[in-house]
Amino acid sequence: MLEYIILGFLMKEDMSGYDLKQWMANCTSYFFDASFGSIYPALKRLEEKGFISCREVVESSKFKKLYSITDIGKSYFLSWLEKPIVFSKTKQEHLVYFYFYGYLPKEKATLNIKTFITEVESCFNQLNKEKSEVEKAYDVNQFTFLYSTMVYGVNYYQFIINWCNNLLIQIEGEKI
């Protein structure tokens, strides 16, 4: 998936590895993020496949590698993008913890759930702030698909927070 995200960002403009990481952090981190340690090997693979090219430029007296998508890369990306979406039932690793929390003392499970809620609330607040900024700065109708992923993220985080709070209510109602 990382390679497709990189190609998608490069469809917009040429970028360095650092630029790609920044775009990921600002735009896709609530559903997909990657480290520099993953991005640079992916760039190398894409370049070896001929999907991107690299050129060095000098910016502020420093060499910078800029990556561009090639025509073959555009064709490859658009071919992938045209395929129907495949829903993944997995990749929600936090649920593994919840599944087995019955083995913990209820006090510890409750504390872990509250800590998890705080973490998700932080993500929710950040994304909700970014969504509000996009609403103020842009005509969201021009960015329907991009904006809709933000709405999805906000709603998803809100669902998790509500689900956890309901679980806490249920746990607190049980005898310890």
Side-chain angles (χ1 to χ4, degrees), residues 69 71 74 94 100 103 131-132 134 136 138 162 174:
I69 191 165
D71 288 339
K74 288 178 185 176
H94 58 276
F100 292 111
Y103 293 110
K131 179 179 153 284
S132 294
V134 166
K136 290 176 188 168
Y138 302 101
N162 291 342
E174 295 177 2

Side-chain angles (χ1 to χ4, degrees), residues 71-113:
D71 288 339
I72 295 169
K74 288 178 185 176
S75 177
Y76 176 76
F77 175 75
L78 292 172
S79 175
W80 166 78
L81 195 58
E82 289 175 352
K83 293 178 183 174
I85 300 170
V86 177
F87 177 71
S88 174
K89 295 191 310 185
T90 60
K91 306 290 185 195
Q92 297 178 29
E93 295 177 6
H94 58 276
L95 290 177
V96 175
Y97 289 91
F98 285 98
Y99 187 85
F100 292 111
Y101 269 178
Y103 293 110
L104 291 178
K106 287 186 182 177
E107 296 82 10
K108 182 61 180 170
T110 299
L111 177 62
N112 286 357
I113 293 168

Side-chain angles (χ1 to χ4, degrees), residues 57-72:
V57 296
V58 178
E59 240 181 55
S60 304
S61 334
K62 293 182 182 180
F63 282 102
K64 182 178 181 179
K65 287 186 175 183
L66 279 182
Y67 297 90
S68 306
I69 191 165
T70 63
D71 288 339
I72 295 169

